[in-house]
Amino acid sequence: MLGRFITFEGVEGGGKTTNIKIIAELLQDKGKNIVLTREPGGTEISEAIRDILLSKELPAMHQDTELLLMFAARAEHLQKKILPALAQGKWVLCDRFTDASYAYQGGGRGIDIKRIATLERWVQNDFRPDHTFLFDLDAETGLSRAKSRGETDRFEQEDIEFFNRIRAKYLEMAAQNSDRYHVINAQHNLAQVQQQVTDTLNSILS
Ligand code: Z5A
């Protein structure tokens, strides 16, 4: 039996990392075998690429380099971890995936979407998530939540307009892919967000 591939997206501070753990527990209670992973990252090589991508110590990188490194990390992650786990019937929960490249490098940085689609086809062929949870909230609230945790990374130093464009791109993708997208209103308090997440998961499983 094939597993399922579920991705978690949104601007920073939306609660992906918090809620992915709740979903993992709910699925485990229902007897599913879970793999929790993230992008960029998820394997030793992809995590090393992540360190380069998020570093504030390195000089600013060209936006094409950033996009290509995201897909290099993804190629390794997909071939070495995601596809083998799905083939074993596991449910793979991934904190960000290719939609983040469309939102951040496409919407945020302004790279031509056709170039991102070319890389997506090259690295993934027709492989896409079965379900995507989008934690949607305004960028000001998300950034202030993310910053309240302390240390920021290279992306979190961008201006608010960068994050507004990212949010708009995510909402556009959600409208275009309503069969797999589940939009969670992450503006609410944590208990209310968790309720939406639980209800959505139950509807997926029923
Ligand atoms: N990136 C890219 O550009 N292109 C790509 O293709 C990919 C990624 C794959 C990865 O960083 C960066 O890489 C990311 C995009 C880029 N940009 N940045 N930065 P990351 O993985 O380190 O960071 P992140 O993905 O943005 O996650 P995050 O900042 O950790 O946010 P989150 O996971 O959505 O939120 P959280 O950690 O669950 O919650 C943040 C805080 O808010 C925390 O203290 C919570 O307790 C609190 N919280 C959560 N929900 C609530 C509610 N509902 N109310 C109040 N407080 C809450």
Side-chain angles (χ1 to χ4, degrees):
M1 192 189 85
L2 285 180
R4 296 277 187 286
F5 183 49
I6 306 181
T7 58
F8 299 82
E9 300 281 0
V11 295
E12 13 279 292
K16 294 176 285 83
T17 312
T18 308
N19 285 285
I20 205 168
K21 292 178 194 142
I22 292 159
I23 292 189
E25 280 169 23
L26 288 170
L27 287 170
Q28 271 160 349
D29 288 348
K30 293 185 187 294
K32 309 291 184 203
N33 205 336
I34 301 299
V35 172
L36 260 182
T37 190
R38 67 174 179 181
E39 288 213 346
T43 70
E44 198 176 342
I45 288 173
S46 308
E47 288 288 330
I49 298 172
R50 177 190 176 92
D51 289 343
I52 297 171
L53 279 161
L54 300 189
S55 170
K56 286 191 294 187
E57 267 60 74
L58 293 170
M61 73 176 71
H62 190 277
Q63 60 186 26
D64 289 352
T65 313
E66 183 179 272
L67 177 66
L68 290 164
L69 284 177
M70 291 292 176
F71 272 95
R74 182 163 300 131
E76 183 72 11
H77 189 208
L78 191 62
Q79 296 300 334
K80 296 280 178 62
K81 187 167 183 179
I82 297 173
L83 293 178
L86 291 172
Q88 290 167 13
K90 294 178 179 165
W91 286 50
V92 179
L93 309 183
C94 191
D95 194 337
R96 296 195 184 281
F97 192 61
T98 305
D99 291 346
S101 299
Y102 281 105
Y104 281 76
Q105 281 67 52
R109 304 265 189 243
I111 296 181
D112 187 346
I113 294 300
K114 289 195 215 98
R115 301 180 87 180
I116 303 175
T118 300
L119 291 169
E120 182 181 40
R121 265 195 306 281
W122 188 36
V123 170
Q124 298 168 219
N125 293 313
D126 293 332
F127 180 79
R128 300 288 181 276
D130 295 301
H131 296 281
T132 298
F133 284 72
L134 172 60
F135 291 87
D136 179 59
L137 80 174
D138 70 61
E140 286 91 348
T141 309
L143 275 180
S144 81
R145 282 185 196 166
K147 282 177 180 163
S148 70
R149 284 174 315 190
E151 186 68 5
T152 57
D153 64 32
R154 198 166 59 80
F155 285 93
E156 286 160 357
Q157 297 178 320
E158 296 288 340
D159 65 23
I160 196 72
E161 282 312 314
F162 177 76
F163 294 101
N164 285 335
R165 292 196 296 278
I166 289 165
R167 182 190 189 193
K169 190 71 196 166
Y170 270 128
L171 289 171
E172 184 189 317
M173 287 188 284
Q176 287 168 350
N177 300 279
S178 55
D179 49 334
R180 75 170 161 96
Y181 257 87
H182 308 278
V183 182
I184 304 294
N185 184 342
Q187 204 79 40
H188 295 311
N189 67 40
L190 198 48
Q192 289 169 316
V193 171
Q194 284 173 0
Q195 190 59 53
Q196 291 177 70
V197 167
T198 307
D199 291 346
T200 305
L201 188 68
N202 285 333
S203 74
I204 288 171
L205 291 170
S206 64

